[in-house]
Amino acid sequence: MVATLIILLLFVIFLAFFVGKNLGNLCTFWLFKTFENIPVAVLVLIAFGAGIVCSILFVLIAKIRAASTADLNAQIENQKIKLAKKNSKLEKQAEKVHSKLKRKEKNVSVAQENNADNKE
């Protein structure tokens, strides 16, 4: 733990020394307008900040998409449950109608037999 802290501190000191020695280096930067004589260290910090902002945006967009996908999956599951209930209800109704038809057919066949017996 202490060794890691010392190594990190040495790295930060080296980085500060390196950046401090190179502050005199200037460059030209174009972003819809030409910016001249900008220190390289400033440009690196701007690029770092822009990268952080883009990363945060992409993470937020991914979380929003995941949440909306989870909502859609929940809605799909609810619709499946509703359809299964409707299907079972329709099957019960069909079974009732089928049993009524069988009873009617049985009654008709009994009535036809009675008519046939009465005619003889």
Side-chain angles (χ1 to χ4, degrees), residues 1-116:
M1 180 81 173
V2 175
T4 307
L5 182 62
I6 291 172
I7 292 172
L8 183 64
L9 188 59
L10 289 174
F11 179 73
V12 169
I13 290 171
F14 170 75
L15 197 60
F17 179 75
F18 184 76
V19 169
K21 285 291 187 180
N22 291 309
L23 281 177
N25 293 340
L26 302 174
C27 66
T28 302
F29 176 66
W30 180 85
L31 181 68
F32 305 110
K33 180 185 173 195
T34 303
F35 299 98
E36 294 180 0
N37 299 329
I38 296 177
V40 173
V42 172
L43 194 58
V44 168
L45 291 175
I46 290 171
F48 181 73
I52 289 174
V53 169
C54 288
S55 297
I56 289 172
L57 286 175
F58 284 128
V59 167
L60 291 175
I61 289 170
K63 285 186 178 183
I64 290 170
R65 278 186 154 179
S68 66
T69 303
D71 289 343
L72 287 176
N73 287 340
Q75 288 177 357
I76 289 171
E77 289 301 320
N78 287 340
Q79 290 294 331
K80 284 181 181 178
I81 291 169
K82 286 180 182 178
L83 286 175
K85 286 180 182 178
K86 283 183 182 180
N87 193 17
S88 66
K89 186 176 179 182
L90 288 174
E91 286 176 357
K92 288 178 183 177
Q93 287 178 348
E95 191 175 308
K96 285 181 183 178
V97 169
H98 187 65
S99 64
K100 283 183 182 179
L101 285 175
K102 279 190 174 182
R103 276 188 260 137
K104 284 184 181 180
E105 285 177 359
K106 197 182 247 186
N107 290 342
V108 168
S109 64
V110 169
Q112 284 177 352
E113 287 178 8
N114 288 342
N115 285 340

